[in-house]
Amino acid sequence: MQAADHSKPDLISRQGVRRHPRSPYSVPIMFHGIATGVVRTTRGVSLDISEGGVGALVEGRLQVGETGALDVPLPEHVLSAVAVVRHSSSASSGFEFVGLTPEERSEIQTIARRG
C-alpha cells in the first residue's frame, strides 16, 4: 500500500476522489496576485473550502499558476495564506493553499465538519 502524497492538497486523485473533503463556505475573499510582474487585487466570494484550498467566484479571469496572498475570513480572524490558482474559468476559480500551519489546517477542518 502506497502512502498518500500530501504535497499537492485538494487535487483530484486518479480515482476521481478529492484528498480533502470540501464544504460549502461563502464569505468575501481577496486575492493579491502577481501577473506579468504587476500586483493586482481581485475580489470575490468563496463557494467552498477544504484544508487544501478554496473554490470561488472572482472578478475577471485569473491566470492558472498565478501565486499570491488569499485573504479568507474565518470565524476568529482573517486567514491570509499563500495560494496558487489551480483553475480559472468564467464560472469559477480554484485556489490551492501553500504552507498552511497545523493550526490553520485545524481551523479549516473545523469549518469543514460544520458544513
Side-chain angles (χ1 to χ4, degrees):
M1 181 183 225
Q2 190 174 13
D5 175 13
H6 295 289
S7 63
K8 294 183 179 177
D10 205 37
L11 298 179
I12 299 174
S13 72
R14 290 186 182 140
Q15 293 80 24
V17 178
R18 291 195 178 274
R19 294 176 189 216
H20 303 289
R22 292 179 172 213
S23 293
Y25 190 67
S26 182
V27 294
I29 63 166
M30 289 192 356
F31 180 68
H32 312 281
I34 301 172
T36 61
V38 177
V39 177
R40 67 179 172 146
T41 297
T42 303
R43 298 178 190 283
V45 63
S46 66
L47 299 171
D48 54 46
I49 193 167
S50 77
E51 65 180 281
V54 172
L57 299 174
V58 297
E59 300 172 333
R61 194 159 181 172
L62 301 172
Q63 294 179 356
V64 172
E66 186 174 351
T67 302
L70 182 64
D71 298 332
V72 181
L74 300 179
E76 300 297 321
H77 64 93
V78 175
L79 170 67
S80 188
V82 174
V84 178
V85 177
R86 289 298 180 204
H87 77 84
S88 182
S89 71
S90 59
S92 66
S93 294
F95 300 90
E96 179 183 354
F97 294 131
V98 177
L100 291 181
T101 67
E103 294 80 14
E104 291 166 336
R105 284 190 183 279
S106 177
E107 243 182 311
I108 293 169
Q109 287 171 351
T110 299
I111 291 167
R113 280 193 294 270
R114 290 185 205 153

